[in-house]
Amino acid sequence: MNKPLRRIAIFCGLLVLALLARDNWLQYVQADSLAKHEKNRRVTIERYAQPRGDIIVDGKPITGSKSTPGSDLKYKRTWKDGPMWAPVTGYSSQRIGATQLESIDDGILTGNDDRLFFRRTLDMLTGEKKEGGNVVTTLNGAAQKAAYDGLKGRGKGAVAAIDPSTGAILALASTPSYDPGDFAGNTNDEAQKFLDLDKSKDKPLVNRALRETYPPGSTFKVVTAAAALEHGLYDGIDEKTDSPLPWTMPNTTQPLKNEGDLPCKNASMREALRVSCNTVFGKIGSDLGKDKMLETAKKFGFNEQQFVPVRSNASNFPEEMDRPQTALSSIGQFETAATPLQMAMVASAIANDGTLMEPYMVSELQARNLDVVEKHSPKEMSEPLSKENAQKLQEMMETVVKSGTGTMAQIPGVTVGGKTGTAQHGVANSKNPYAWFISYAKTDSGSPVAVAVVVEDSDASRQDISGGGLAAPIAKNVMKAVIDSKK
Amino acid sequence: MSSSTTHTSTIGAIGAPSRRNTELALLAFAVVIPLFAYMNVGLALDGKVPTGMLGYGLGLGLLAGVGHIVVRKFAAYADPLLLPLATLLNGLGLVIIWRLDQSEKLQQRDNFIQAAPNQLKYSAIGVALFVGVLLLLKDHRVLQRYTYISMVGALVLLLLPLVPGLGMNVFGAKIWIRIGSFSIQPGEFAKIVIAIFFAGYLMVKRDALALASRRFMGLYLPRGRDLGPIVMVWAMSILILVFETDLGTSLLFFGMFVVMLYVATERTSWIVFGLLMSAVGAVGVASFEPHVQQRVDAWLNPFSDSTLAQTDQIAQSLMAFGSGGVLGTGLGQGNSDLIGFAANSDFILATFGEEMGLAGVMAILLIYGLIVERGVRTALAARDPFGKLLAIGLSGAFAIQVFVVSGGVMGLIPLTGMTMPFLAYGGSSVIANWALVGILIRISDTARRPAPSPAPNPDAEMTQVVRP
């Protein structure tokens, strides 16, 4: 009986060998893909096993972490003033996932980033627990508060404020907002809250400052004015323009109307901007033609997504259009659409004497011990207009605030330039218009802030909606907050 | 056989040293290694040496010590590896079960109980049974007398869970019975009892089965009256198990049956025959049993949505193994509790996989391999056909069980729902496997025990070599 016994012994050996082979396949060959499998909860457990690093504004964290006993996900995210900061931070939910900075810099915040590898290895050897690093933002707390408080009373809207000389984003507000702390955890309740927010018709989860494009209305006229100066259509801002009134758009029988009875006939560009003449700027756009307009718009950043590092939607200046459409586009109508960030970039390029800096909102990524992992240095993006032309435009915009439609934005002792906009939209312009205001402030040491404000679907009655009345006061408060915080 | 003076009738074993001290030294390791593992888990979970460590060490040491003393006294020539290997596995299993007891996720389950104290109790009962086997069973050949009683016993054991009021349906398998507060899985014991029946029957019938056969299509088929009873018993046990939806045990019995038949008759045709039958059986059962279909489906597509909705155990187990990688996360630092209720029983190997990594699992598998090969060696060394058959039956069953469970949790074969011998939580399993090791040790003792020195042969003196 020994011969079959020996064979059985070999058979048993083969069984064990098969198991060993399978084990090697599982734990060596496939180990990585299984460990990182989308359904492997360990990935989530690992992510929330230690307090998350913080997002920092003005040297202070606006986020925190809270331990969650009774859950395998040990720490959840908390926010200070969640609704105010949500457009900056995004959310980080144990159940839903993360967005915006919380998602983009997740590696730093969780401590898993490869750039922290050396540190992590050291910590492992010394037995230190893994810790997340910090994301230091460029935001200005006071400006953000001014922006958020201003919008809160106005329903839906957004604010983007930029430091023109560097491109650093100072405020990024959007209302209605949401509190990311409401669904940071992993309970069904919190998941439901998220679903409710997601389905809400007010779209509180949308970051309007970066992701929503609106017709920019009259605020776009500064771009048209810049195109006129850059392409030499008119050299002086006080030179009479060739602007009949009424003006019928080329190849049509349709007259372009102004809002009210304005002194627009052959008005200078300064005057036309001051009172916001559609006829003057419509004709300028039409005279320049779509290619020149498009060229200038693109230099200001239109038709391209911006990464700050959060992605913004691309603003739109149409590439294919006939002459009347070009005229309409040049006054911010037809298919022209811009994000608040884009319009803030326009204002900041003008305030910065023609140089557009790349907008950004993360100045530094830090390891937990405050070692700098990555530092952002300001970068020039383009030069949409020359210094001289920029200064001419500044004069025009300052006139708007001094004695035009933008007087509500005046700040005593500070030079302010701005442009209002009231953008019609909806079928046959039936909906309440969007109130726009773009502006910059200037002090002796240059311009510290440029800002764009949009207020949509305000509860105010239709006649009362104007960029000057609704949006300008918010812009003023934001600029004032920035200037005050610099003192 | 080489020398006429030693009167050897079997190979090698005669005159083997007892190796009891080797066993003692190995036992020390088998107690100390789990003890360190226990400390490791405590340090990882709470940052301090666990308070139960002394008690645990004493408990395991006591069990090992009692086992050793009894072996030394009553089975002095037994194989020195079996007891330490079983102790090591039992000890490591206790540590991991204790470790899973600390899991918050498992504690939140409705029917959570601290499993480790129970397991320690079961281990003690198991060792008591081991001692009982060695004390009562002076010679394994006694078991031959109970061939037919074993047959009845095995069938009764298998039928018990189907008795109304006694059987319990747990997670779709009707393989438990409840007596008072105890729940027992009679199948685990039936494994041993049926091996005794097969060994006893085959020993008597092996010649008839091997020789009195008719040739049919190239295969030698035995006469019905020789094979009939054994096929009947086997078929009944398979049928019962199918009714109880305990596929792992059916497979185990079938494999054991084929192995023992092959060894008894020395005819390869049995293997072919067995494989054919198992293929037919598997396809047949799978075609009408939804339980089996689910398992096969889960095995083929562990991460498909329908599988995850049914039971994500297999997927969780695979991810536990994957997350462990080569060196593992370290004891107490994994998340194998994600597997859920079976984490400490059917799926305990996944915890080893995650926390001790590829290295740890290979070590565990090799320990099992060693136990099996020591069992086969015992069969080789045994001098009587009954002992050979019983030893190979038990070790074959052990090997198949290890293969079926580990293969199942590692996704090599469909999951069948059996427990890792010694490692897994479960009283019946631990107790039955200790009894199994007891029997193997008894057989190996008989096999290795030096034959009594022959009486002096008065003729020897007078034998003369006559040279030409």
Side-chain angles (χ1 to χ4, degrees):
Chain A
M1 296 205 305
N2 285 347
K3 198 164 125 197
L5 278 177
R6 289 180 207 282
R7 286 192 180 148
I8 296 290
I10 292 168
F11 170 71
C12 292
L14 287 177
L15 287 186
V16 174
L17 204 64
L19 291 176
L20 291 175
R22 173 65 184 178
D23 194 25
N24 274 278
W25 176 254
L26 264 188
Q27 299 205 270
Y28 183 74
V29 181
Q30 286 198 312
D32 241 31
S33 66
L34 284 170
K36 298 196 173 97
H37 196 277
E38 50 170 340
K39 282 166 180 140
N40 196 338
R41 193 174 164 79
R42 289 167 189 79
V43 178
T44 320
I45 290 175
E46 169 78 1
R47 157 164 303 171
Y48 294 102
Q50 67 281 328
R52 210 169 155 75
D54 282 320
I55 294 177
I56 305 228
V57 170
D58 294 337
K60 289 189 289 280
I62 55 168
T63 56
S65 275
K66 193 168 107 182
S67 75
T68 46
S71 164
D72 56 356
L73 308 177
K74 290 224 170 66
Y75 292 90
K76 73 172 182 183
R77 192 53 141 173
T78 59
W79 286 262
K80 289 167 190 141
D81 294 321
M84 181 167 103
W85 289 114
V88 177
T89 60
Y91 54 79
S92 169
S93 162
Q94 291 176 346
R95 176 72 67 92
I96 316 293
T99 56
Q100 306 200 24
L101 284 189
E102 295 276 19
S103 154
I104 290 165
D105 290 321
D106 189 62
I108 292 287
L109 293 167
T110 54
N112 287 333
D113 194 287
D114 284 344
R115 288 168 291 183
L116 300 174
F117 177 78
F118 181 64
R119 230 204 119 62
R120 269 212 318 272
T121 313
L122 270 186
D123 285 352
M124 203 163 74
L125 293 177
T126 56
E128 295 275 327
K129 281 230 157 40
K130 188 175 80 183
E131 283 184 323
N134 293 332
V135 174
V136 182
T137 68
T138 57
L139 282 111
N140 178 314
Q144 178 77 7
K145 186 164 166 40
Y148 182 68
D149 288 351
L151 288 172
K152 218 167 41 176
R154 296 288 181 200
K156 292 194 214 167
V159 172
I162 298 179
D163 179 341
S165 60
T166 60
I169 292 177
L170 300 172
L172 207 62
S174 168
T175 55
S177 191
Y178 62 96
D179 188 347
D182 283 349
F183 54 90
N186 192 30
T187 64
N188 289 334
D189 257 15
E190 286 164 297
Q192 188 56 46
K193 269 185 192 145
F194 176 82
L195 286 181
D196 291 348
L197 284 168
D198 196 36
K199 275 185 283 188
S200 163
K201 68 175 176 36
D202 285 342
K203 299 196 284 180
L205 292 175
V206 173
N207 183 349
R208 292 175 164 75
L210 298 180
R211 297 282 169 84
E212 196 77 81
T213 59
Y214 302 91
S218 305
T219 56
F220 192 77
K221 287 171 185 164
V222 297
V223 177
T224 308
L229 292 168
E230 277 294 291
H231 293 100
L233 185 64
Y234 298 109
D235 286 330
I237 55 170
D238 294 313
E239 170 187 333
K240 288 253 180 275
T241 58
D242 175 20
S243 311
L245 188 79
W247 178 65
T248 308
M249 289 188 281
N251 312 334
T252 66
T253 53
Q254 181 124 30
L256 186 62
K257 285 189 187 135
N258 289 319
E259 285 287 317
D261 186 18
L262 301 175
C264 293
K265 190 177 162 100
N266 297 329
S268 67
M269 284 209 290
R270 185 202 292 267
E271 182 66 3
L273 198 71
R274 186 180 75 82
V275 297
S276 202
C277 292
N278 290 344
T279 47
V280 175
F281 288 101
K283 183 159 183 298
I284 287 176
S286 162
D287 289 351
L288 282 171
K290 67 175 167 74
D291 293 338
K292 287 180 181 168
M293 281 303 297
L294 184 63
E295 185 197 322
T296 302
K298 277 189 169 172
K299 276 191 192 168
F300 276 108
F302 273 81
N303 297 12
E304 224 169 273
Q305 297 179 338
Q306 311 296 335
F307 294 86
V308 298
V310 179
R311 180 182 65 84
S312 82
N313 277 357
S315 300
N316 182 48
F317 189 79
E319 311 219 351
E320 292 305 323
M321 46 191 177
D322 55 22
R323 290 190 70 197
Q325 287 168 340
T326 311
L328 284 172
S329 297
S330 301
I331 58 167
Q333 310 239 341
F334 186 53
E335 285 171 0
T336 309
T339 59
L341 174 75
Q342 173 61 63
M343 292 318 288
M345 284 160 69
V346 168
S348 80
I350 294 165
N352 195 35
D353 289 343
T355 304
L356 177 59
M357 301 300 289
E358 254 181 36
Y360 69 99
M361 63 178 184
V362 173
S363 59
E364 255 179 44
L365 300 178
Q366 295 174 338
R368 196 61 174 179
N369 63 350
L370 309 185
D371 279 353
V372 175
V373 176
E374 185 184 308
K375 193 175 173 66
H376 186 278
S377 44
K379 274 193 278 293
E380 192 180 309
M381 189 167 148
S382 63
E383 295 213 24
L385 65 174
S386 68
K387 188 170 176 188
E388 296 76 43
N389 287 340
Q391 281 165 352
K392 286 177 191 170
L393 252 180
Q394 287 172 17
E395 269 189 60
M396 290 164 65
M397 288 175 75
E398 280 153 24
T399 311
V400 171
V401 172
K402 208 174 289 166
S403 57
T405 52
T407 50
M408 298 282 270
Q410 289 172 0
I411 305 171
V414 179
T415 311
V416 176
K419 179 70 195 92
T420 57
T422 309
Q424 315 286 349
H425 74 119
V427 179
N429 297 339
S430 55
K431 292 193 181 155
N432 270 352
Y434 297 122
W436 272 95
F437 194 74
I438 65 171
S439 66
Y440 62 88
K442 240 162 87 173
T443 59
D444 301 338
S445 50
S447 170
V449 56
V451 56
V453 177
V454 63
V455 178
E456 62 171 298
D457 286 330
S458 155
D459 288 336
S461 68
R462 193 183 167 94
Q463 302 87 293
D464 296 345
I465 296 173
S466 72
L470 282 179
I474 300 174
K476 173 190 153 177
N477 288 339
V478 172
M479 292 187 291
K480 203 164 170 312
V482 173
I483 292 167
D484 287 349
S485 65
K486 295 239 164 169
K487 278 178 186 163
Chain B
M1 261 175 266
S2 55
S3 155
S4 61
T5 53
T6 50
H7 291 260
T8 312
S9 57
T10 46
I11 40 161
I14 284 200
S18 81
R19 298 275 186 225
R20 286 288 62 81
N21 293 332
T22 312
E23 181 183 79
L24 187 59
L26 289 174
L27 266 179
F29 278 113
V31 173
V32 167
I33 291 170
L35 207 57
F36 275 121
Y38 190 74
M39 188 165 77
N40 190 343
V41 173
L43 286 171
L45 290 176
D46 308 320
K48 57 179 197 287
V49 178
T51 46
M53 197 167 143
L54 188 66
Y56 172 74
L58 286 176
L60 194 64
L62 197 69
L63 291 183
V66 168
H68 174 71
I69 289 167
V70 172
V71 171
R72 190 174 274 267
K73 188 107 176 70
F74 296 96
Y77 290 91
D79 187 290
L81 276 170
L82 284 169
L83 181 62
L85 291 175
T87 309
L88 179 59
L89 288 176
N90 200 165
L92 286 175
L94 274 164
V95 169
I96 295 297
I97 290 163
W98 180 76
R99 177 254 173 283
L100 288 168
D101 278 350
Q102 316 303 310
S103 149
E104 280 181 29
K105 198 167 282 141
L106 294 179
Q107 284 168 2
Q108 283 160 5
R109 299 193 71 87
D110 296 338
N111 47 4
F112 173 80
I113 42 152
Q114 290 280 342
N118 283 339
Q119 181 76 351
L120 192 57
K121 200 163 66 194
Y122 294 139
S123 305
I125 299 175
V127 173
L129 194 58
F130 171 85
V131 168
V133 166
L134 290 184
L135 289 184
L136 296 178
L137 191 66
K138 294 285 186 217
D139 185 338
H140 63 269
R141 276 166 294 196
V142 173
L143 292 173
Q144 280 179 64
R145 293 183 207 149
Y146 303 109
T147 301
Y148 291 95
I149 295 177
S150 298
M151 178 185 83
V152 177
L155 291 179
V156 167
L157 280 173
L158 288 171
L159 274 169
L160 276 177
L162 295 177
V163 175
L166 204 57
M168 301 191 301
N169 187 339
V170 182
F171 303 117
K174 296 180 277 285
I175 51 175
W176 276 269
I177 57 166
R178 178 177 284 283
I179 301 170
S181 62
F182 282 99
S183 55
I184 298 172
Q185 225 176 317
E188 289 280 354
F189 297 97
K191 175 174 76 184
I192 299 172
V193 179
I194 213 162
I196 294 172
F197 163 64
F198 282 164
Y201 185 83
L202 287 172
M203 186 199 67
V204 177
K205 296 282 184 179
R206 54 191 283 251
D207 290 338
L209 284 168
L211 302 173
S213 54
R214 278 165 298 189
R215 212 180 144 91
F216 176 74
M217 286 176 64
L219 292 173
Y220 289 95
L221 294 185
R223 295 177 303 188
R225 63 163 180 244
D226 297 324
L227 193 61
I230 202 162
V231 165
M232 202 187 69
V233 171
W234 165 74
M236 275 185 71
S237 47
I238 298 290
L239 273 180
I240 292 165
L241 293 168
V242 166
F243 275 110
E244 293 168 359
T245 56
D246 182 11
L247 297 153
T249 315
S250 339
L251 194 65
L252 177 71
F253 282 18
F254 182 75
M256 186 161 81
F257 171 62
V258 171
V259 163
M260 291 176 78
L261 205 53
Y262 170 59
V263 172
T265 59
E266 305 193 31
R267 282 202 182 274
T268 321
S269 53
W270 286 115
I271 302 277
V272 180
F273 203 54
L275 286 176
L276 279 177
M277 278 170 82
S278 67
V280 170
V283 172
V285 171
S287 60
F288 70 84
E289 183 63 71
H291 192 73
V292 182
Q293 286 161 3
Q294 276 171 25
R295 295 236 160 142
V296 172
D297 187 46
W299 167 60
L300 292 173
N301 308 300
F303 292 103
S304 78
D305 288 337
S306 64
T307 306
L308 291 173
Q310 286 276 347
T311 160
D312 65 346
Q313 285 177 326
I314 262 291
Q316 289 294 356
S317 170
L318 293 180
M319 289 188 286
F321 276 107
S323 300
V326 174
L327 293 175
T329 57
L331 283 170
Q333 299 175 63
N335 287 295
S336 59
D337 48 5
L338 289 168
I339 296 166
F341 71 87
N344 62 9
S345 51
D346 299 23
F347 285 90
I348 196 155
L349 193 67
T351 302
F352 279 95
E354 181 169 5
E355 304 199 339
M356 291 167 63
L358 177 60
V361 175
M362 293 216 289
I364 296 281
L365 291 175
L366 288 176
I367 292 174
Y368 279 118
L370 269 177
I371 293 183
V372 172
E373 297 302 339
R374 295 313 287 194
V376 176
R377 207 184 146 82
T378 299
L380 273 171
R383 289 170 231 177
D384 61 307
F386 176 78
K388 274 182 186 300
L389 282 172
L390 187 53
I392 196 65
L394 293 177
S395 15
F398 194 87
I400 291 166
Q401 183 161 358
V402 169
F403 177 77
V404 168
V405 192
S406 329
V409 299
M410 292 198 287
L412 183 61
I413 55 169
L415 190 67
T416 48
M418 276 200 298
T419 52
M420 284 305 277
F422 294 114
L423 281 188
Y425 174 64
S428 317
S429 171
V430 171
I431 296 169
N433 282 308
W434 271 114
L436 186 152
V437 168
I439 296 173
L440 279 181
I441 281 194
R442 169 54 70 219
I443 300 173
S444 76
D445 174 54
T446 316
R448 288 161 48 97
R449 187 174 289 278
S453 44
N457 187 343
D459 294 341
E461 303 283 325
M462 282 172 283
T463 306
Q464 302 281 327
V465 178
V466 182
R467 288 195 179 88

